[in-house]
């Protein structure tokens, strides 16, 4: 009776899972099956499916060889054919279909020297990093294949390496970082043996291409609670390797930073500006460059820090407008979010809310904050400065902007021209 019940519950689960797999993905699996091949969705998508989290991309694994996949489907792209991956166009979108594979010896903990096709599904699952990432689901037969206890670990909220963690982390140094990142993203804890294998393999992580590393950092920083990963990263020395200042600070300061980062919304730049708060602006910028964050990410982060340093002490509109003019509205808003996350006293919080309201009113009224937004251009001012363009025009415009920031109602062509006549004389 109990087995029967268990079976029914399981079947119910698999039927539900199958319906959550997008139609095109099921169609691809169905076509492969009809040709006599095995086909499963596998890896991160099955993990997220079982957790009820939104699935980013559906990876399909098949017994068919890449050439066979290319001949079965009309529209394909040989995305990563050396590693067995072919993209199949279905429903107007590409879907990655990868031949079951085992990985040969690893070179320098970076990438396998070779891949081997013609292996079983279990072997393919065995090369994956974590038990929760090593589950396959057949959406046609409606069957879960879970040889390493991944579902059990999902239930327990446990990050655990497939097989021997020491060996697995020595093969590919990125895995420990992926494990920490997933702990943060999923709110999971790390199995003790898995965690213990991180420090001895830091030299392998040190050799991993920085582009792979920064992608994990980004995902970590977008997690609901980055602290859950950062804590393990500090204990195991990953922070010492990637972000040494976060290892050097004392426990109390570190705990404060963790709380701060968690309270902020999941924005990479905002959270980095909290983590880099104790650093000088240029040091954080240099670090972000070394880690290969994009120029845009670096500029945004530094802009948030700059805006935060210059937050006006009063919420009177002219000072708020000047602050917005110098830093831009986006960075200013984030600077307020940053400061709010630091959770200082009631009075500061009150002030930050007043600033937010002030920004809101400036935005709603679309008030001019830059020279570009002035109702008059440099050309109209030329007759006042001897007819020739030059630095004086710029200074005149600056002076006009200064007055407009004080009183936006001055921003009409007529009024500005009038003021410009007076100011031009003063400038001489
Ligand atoms: P995300 O939700 O961020 O996409 P993911 O686990 O799906 O996380 P992917 O990079 O999309 O990450 O990888 C898909 C799957 O490939 C993983 O779930 C895992 O099974 C396997 N995998 C990825 N990277 C590694 C690795 N470094 N070592 C072993 N297996 C890996
Ligand atoms: Mg994925």
């Amino acid at each position: 009776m109990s087995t029967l019940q268990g079976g029914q519950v399981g079947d119910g689960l698999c039927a539900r899972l199958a319906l959550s797999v997008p139609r095109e993905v099921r169609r691809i699996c169905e076509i492969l099956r009809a040709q006599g091949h095995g086909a499963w969705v596998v890896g991160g998508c099955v993990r997220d499916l079982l957790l009820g989290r939104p699935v980013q991309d559906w990876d399909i694994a098949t017994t068919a060889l890449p050439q066979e996949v290319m001949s079965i489907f009309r529209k394909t792209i040989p995305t990563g054919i050396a590693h067995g991956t072919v993209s199949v166009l279905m429903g107007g979108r590409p879907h990655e279909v990868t031949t079951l594979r085992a990985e040969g010896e690893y070179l320098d903990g970076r990438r396998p020297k070779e891949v081997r096709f013609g292996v079983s599904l279990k072997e393919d699952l065995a090369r994956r990093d974590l038990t929760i990432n090593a589950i396959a689901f057949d959406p046609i037969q409606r069957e879960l294949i879970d040889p390493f206890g991944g579902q059990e670990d999902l239930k327990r909220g446990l990050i655990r390496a497939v097989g021997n963690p020491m060996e697995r982390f020595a093969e590919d140094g990125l895995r420990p970082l992926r494990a920490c990142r997933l702990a943060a993203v999923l709110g999971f804890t790390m199995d003790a043996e898995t965690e213990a294998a991180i420090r001895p393999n830091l030299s392998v992580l040190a050799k991993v291409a920085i582009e792979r590393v920064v992608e994990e950092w980004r995902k970590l920083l977008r997690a609901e609670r980055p602290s859950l990963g950062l804590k393990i990263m500090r204990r195991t020395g990953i922070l010492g390797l990637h972000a040494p200042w976060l290892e050097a600070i004392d426990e109390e300061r570190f705990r404060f930073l963790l709380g701060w980062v968690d309270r902020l919304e999941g924005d990479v730049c905002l959270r980095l500006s909290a983590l880099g708060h104790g650093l000088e602006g240029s040091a954080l910028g240099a670090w972000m460059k070394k880690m290969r964050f994009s120029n845009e990410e670096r500029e945004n982060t530094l802009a948030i820090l700059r805006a935060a340093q210059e937050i006006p002490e009063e919420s009177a509109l002219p000072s708020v407008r000047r602050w917005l003019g110098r830093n831009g509205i986006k960075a200013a808003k984030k600077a307020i979010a940053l400061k709010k996350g630091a959770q200082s006293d009631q009075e500061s919080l009150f002030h930050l809310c007043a600033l937010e309201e002030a920004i809101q009113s400036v935005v709603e009224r679309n008030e001019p904050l830059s020279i570009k937004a002035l109702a008059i251009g440099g050309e109209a001012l030329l007759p006042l400065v001897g007819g020739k363009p030059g630095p004086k025009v710029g200074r005149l415009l600056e002076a006009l902007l200064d007055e407009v920031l004080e009183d936006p109602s001055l921003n009409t062509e007529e009024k500005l021209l009038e003021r410009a006549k007076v100011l031009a004389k003063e400038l001489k």
Side-chain angles (χ1 to χ4, degrees):
M1 180 69 185
S2 64
T3 26
L4 187 63
Q5 262 181 4
Q8 280 171 348
V9 171
D11 290 349
L13 169 70
C14 287
R16 251 191 312 117
L17 293 179
L19 292 177
S20 306
V21 176
R23 186 191 313 244
E24 308 87 68
V25 175
R26 269 184 287 158
R27 183 87 190 110
I28 292 172
C29 293
E30 206 166 46
I31 293 172
L32 286 164
R33 281 212 147 267
Q35 298 291 317
H37 299 289
W40 302 265
V41 287
V42 68
C45 61
V46 180
R47 172 198 74 213
D48 291 338
L49 184 64
L50 286 164
L51 288 171
R53 296 173 63 92
V55 173
Q56 308 300 339
D57 15 61
W58 294 89
D59 295 320
I60 299 166
T62 181
T63 54
L65 291 170
Q67 291 306 333
E68 293 175 311
V69 175
M70 293 188 74
S71 67
I72 290 171
F73 295 95
R74 218 154 32 94
K75 291 187 187 159
T76 59
I77 309 162
T79 317
I81 203 144
H83 291 96
T85 304
V86 171
S87 292
V88 173
L89 287 169
M90 183 73 75
R93 288 193 311 129
H95 301 271
E96 291 199 348
V97 177
T98 305
T99 305
L100 295 181
R101 63 177 202 226
E103 288 171 355
E105 256 178 75
Y106 275 75
L107 290 174
D108 291 349
R110 288 161 189 250
R111 62 202 124 83
K113 202 161 60 182
E114 56 183 24
V115 302
R116 222 162 13 93
F117 300 137
V119 303
S120 68
L121 175 62
K122 187 171 170 193
E123 271 181 279
D124 181 282
L125 294 173
R127 71 165 170 90
R128 294 170 187 270
D129 53 354
L130 307 171
T131 59
I132 58 170
N133 287 343
I135 311 173
F137 178 62
D138 179 337
I140 310 303
Q141 308 271 71
R142 302 187 167 183
E143 190 189 1
L144 277 161
I145 299 91
D146 178 17
F148 304 102
Q151 288 175 93
E152 190 56 34
D153 287 344
L154 281 177
K155 278 190 203 120
R156 288 191 293 181
L158 200 60
I159 300 288
R160 192 160 61 90
V162 172
N164 179 334
M166 279 295 284
E167 287 170 16
R168 304 312 310 288
F169 291 175
E171 281 169 2
D172 178 355
L174 189 70
R175 288 174 187 158
L177 183 56
R178 282 179 49 87
C180 295
R181 181 264 285 187
L182 277 160
V185 169
L186 304 174
F188 280 20
T189 50
M190 198 174 292
D191 159 67
E193 199 191 332
T194 300
E195 182 175 325
I198 295 183
R199 193 177 282 280
N201 286 298
L202 286 179
S203 60
V204 193
L205 172 54
K207 283 186 278 185
V208 171
I210 198 76
E211 290 77 9
R212 294 176 78 202
V213 168
V214 73
E215 204 42 49
E216 294 301 323
W217 268 84
R218 284 198 185 95
K219 288 180 178 178
L220 172 84
L221 291 166
R222 289 192 203 109
E224 169 104 12
R225 290 179 63 194
S227 66
L228 296 174
L230 289 166
K231 253 186 233 171
I232 310 172
M233 288 161 73
R234 179 156 143 129
R235 285 204 296 263
T236 54
I238 296 183
L239 285 187
L241 183 66
H242 289 162
W245 81 92
L246 291 176
E247 187 175 72
I249 55 179
D250 64 35
E251 192 58 33
E252 194 184 339
R253 173 81 189 148
F254 184 66
R255 266 207 234 127
F256 168 77
L257 280 184
L258 291 184
W260 191 5
V261 166
D262 280 2
R263 280 189 294 275
L264 298 171
E265 63 170 295
D267 173 298
V268 172
C269 299
L270 185 57
R271 272 158 162 184
L272 278 180
S273 62
L275 285 179
H277 198 257
L279 286 173
E280 274 184 43
S282 61
L284 183 64
W287 179 77
M288 288 184 73
K289 201 166 189 168
K290 195 175 101 200
M291 293 290 283
R292 304 272 177 90
F293 281 97
S294 70
N295 290 344
E296 192 188 345
E297 284 170 321
R298 194 170 77 243
E299 279 153 23
N300 287 343
T301 306
L302 298 182
I304 296 170
L305 277 178
R306 228 177 297 121
Q309 271 159 8
E310 293 181 10
I311 278 190
E313 277 167 23
E314 43 156 20
S315 52
L317 284 171
S319 3
V320 173
R321 287 189 207 107
R322 287 208 164 81
W323 178 55
L324 294 177
R326 274 195 307 273
N327 294 284
I329 290 170
K330 202 173 115 207
K333 281 185 170 172
K334 290 202 174 167
I336 291 181
L338 177 69
K339 290 279 180 184
K340 274 187 161 178
Q343 276 198 335
S344 34
D345 50 293
Q346 271 298 323
E347 203 182 328
S348 326
L349 269 179
F350 192 73
H351 174 54
L352 292 169
C353 291
L355 284 176
E356 267 180 336
E357 278 173 32
I359 295 182
Q360 194 55 30
S361 77
V362 169
V363 171
E364 270 166 19
R365 281 177 270 169
N366 199 14
E367 288 176 352
L369 298 171
S370 64
I371 286 180
K372 254 194 349 217
L374 290 178
I376 202 166
E379 244 158 66
L381 301 177
L382 285 183
L384 302 178
V385 294
K388 272 184 255 141
K392 252 192 188 164
V393 182
R395 272 158 62 208
L396 206 45
L397 286 167
E398 290 285 354
L400 288 175
L401 175 63
D402 200 56
E403 300 204 350
V404 166
L405 288 170
E406 198 68 39
D407 177 6
S409 74
L410 287 177
N411 196 29
T412 68
E413 199 174 351
E414 195 185 351
K415 284 184 190 164
L416 289 181
L417 199 54
E418 206 171 298
R419 278 304 298 154
K421 282 177 193 161
V422 181
L423 289 166
K425 280 186 200 135
E426 286 173 12
L427 275 178
K428 272 176 192 160

